[in-house]
């Protein structure tokens, strides 16, 4: 019997999503991971939630500090993007182009895009940047860049947000396993125990 | 040199506040703890935030499940109160009455009130219930019940919310140490490292 995959839901313009992406493989207990980028803004329209930063004080300064401190707690050096939140539509489509053409590289691409953004300070809203990152992960960057405007790829990125809502997902990162929901990079310790020792 | 206290901010109508209250002593690294109940509703009026449960799906079912699962992750058996959120004003005043008359028992009273609510299913909006819990922690329950309407105690409970805001606190539980802020029971692992090994 093949174990059902761990569904890893995330939005690229989500700092804690990046922390989750760095940790998910280590906590997945050998299960396959399904990478599910989606546009959190589309979900927020339904739930009424707001982006992490941009709500004013005392929250803005907290999240900026907490992101850096929490990343460092896990050994990661990060920096908030200069522009935040940013439009993750192109990066999201890029992942679904990879899923359609080289699904085994989708996770590598997602992580490379995230690292470019939060570790290396690159702007992953730019198609040329995305194509260059895709090439570095072994994909055909030029074909990927052209594919970002294909109707089927655009639709796939839209559908992902609907699928997230249908799965009860309302934030980033989010993990679903066998119908059980875990919200936030904070919950990955529970994900690890769930996958290695079962429900408690 | 005496180490500065760990400030533990919490609202009684906060399920994760209860988890935090159960864990705070173990993670405080021997530092004294200052228990700071406050009325989160007064803070939410300023920040625009909303109670955990009552925002509809998909959040309500998530938080109800996550609270029970997260508590069990730490070995605690809990139950959501039948009425939630509830008015924590009397329980909050009771703690400040204890602070004024027997400060060494304030933490015991806070934890006893929390356990009565989330572990034992009691309604801690009821003055008689609060007085009985106070008596069980060695306080004069009758004097405490009478003290809940003293102007100075009422004012102290109001002031606590202003002090929370002034400290940059916007949720429950919240820990402040030497000006560093940690939001949520999820952050107690970081609190523990901060207090035992210093900043990272």
């Amino acid at each position: 019997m093949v174990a059902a995959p761990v569904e890893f839901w995330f939005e690229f313009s989500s700092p804690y999503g990046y922390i989750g992406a760095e940790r998910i493989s280590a906590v997945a207990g050998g299960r396959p991971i399904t990478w599910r980028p989606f546009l959190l803004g589309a979900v927020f329209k339904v739930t009424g939630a707001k982006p992490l930063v941009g709500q004013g004080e005392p929250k803005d300064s907290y999240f900026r500090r907490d992101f850096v401190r929490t990343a460092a707690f896990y050994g990661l050096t990060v920096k908030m993007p200069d522009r935040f939140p940013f439009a993750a539509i192109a990066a999201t489509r890029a992942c679904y182009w990879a899923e359609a053409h080289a699904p085994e590289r989708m996770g590598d691409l997602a992580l490379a895009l995230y690292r470019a953004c939060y570790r290396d300070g690159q702007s992953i809203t730019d198609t040329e940047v995305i194509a260059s990152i895709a090439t570095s992960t072994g994909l055909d960057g030029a074909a990927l860049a052209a594919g970002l405007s294909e109707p089927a790829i655009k639709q796939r990125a839209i559908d992902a947000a609907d699928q997230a809502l249908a799965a009860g997902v309302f934030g980033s990162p989010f993990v679903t396993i066998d119908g059980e929901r875990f919200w936030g990079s904070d919950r990955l310790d529970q994900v690890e125990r769930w996958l290695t020792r079962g429900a408690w």
Side-chain angles (χ1 to χ4, degrees), chain A:
Chain A
M1 192 182 102
V2 176
V6 174
E7 303 261 346
F8 181 68
W9 304 87
F10 61 99
E11 142 81 46
F12 280 107
S13 186
S14 161
Y16 297 104
Y18 170 58
I19 295 175
E22 287 282 7
R23 296 183 63 210
I24 187 66
S25 295
V27 302
R31 283 226 216 175
I33 297 161
T34 304
W35 295 74
R36 284 287 166 257
F38 69 101
L39 298 174
L40 194 52
V43 170
F44 281 0
K45 274 185 195 162
V46 176
T47 63
K50 290 175 187 167
L52 197 63
V53 170
Q55 298 183 49
E57 292 304 314
K59 292 189 182 181
D60 277 13
S61 58
Y62 178 79
F63 285 117
R64 287 182 180 279
R65 167 68 179 144
D66 182 68
F67 170 50
V68 173
R69 186 183 66 209
T70 299
F73 186 74
Y74 293 111
L76 304 169
T77 301
V78 296
K79 181 179 167 302
M80 278 291 281
D82 293 333
R83 277 195 264 176
F84 183 88
F86 59 84
I89 181 80
T92 302
R93 287 178 185 167
C95 286
Y96 287 114
W97 184 90
E99 184 184 56
H101 293 89
E104 74 286 358
R105 295 197 192 278
M106 189 189 188
D108 289 347
L109 177 63
L111 194 51
L113 287 165
Y114 252 147
R115 286 178 174 163
C117 176
Y118 293 99
R119 186 189 68 184
D120 303 334
Q122 292 185 270
S123 171
I124 60 168
T125 59
D126 186 305
T127 302
E128 285 186 28
V129 171
I130 291 170
S132 168
I133 294 164
T135 300
S136 76
T137 63
L139 290 158
D140 181 339
L144 178 143
L148 299 187
S149 53
E150 283 172 20
I153 298 300
K154 292 162 78 169
Q155 188 61 46
R156 184 69 194 85
I158 292 168
D159 291 346
D162 293 332
Q163 291 168 353
L165 278 167
V169 169
F170 56 83
S172 168
F174 220 103
V175 172
T176 52
I177 312 162
D178 314 328
E180 189 78 16
R181 293 181 289 164
F182 299 87
W183 177 37
S185 60
D186 316 301
R187 286 291 174 272
L188 293 184
D189 294 344
Q190 292 189 34
V191 167
E192 183 170 38
R193 191 192 293 184
W194 191 275
L195 290 171
T196 56
R197 293 160 54 185
W200 57 90

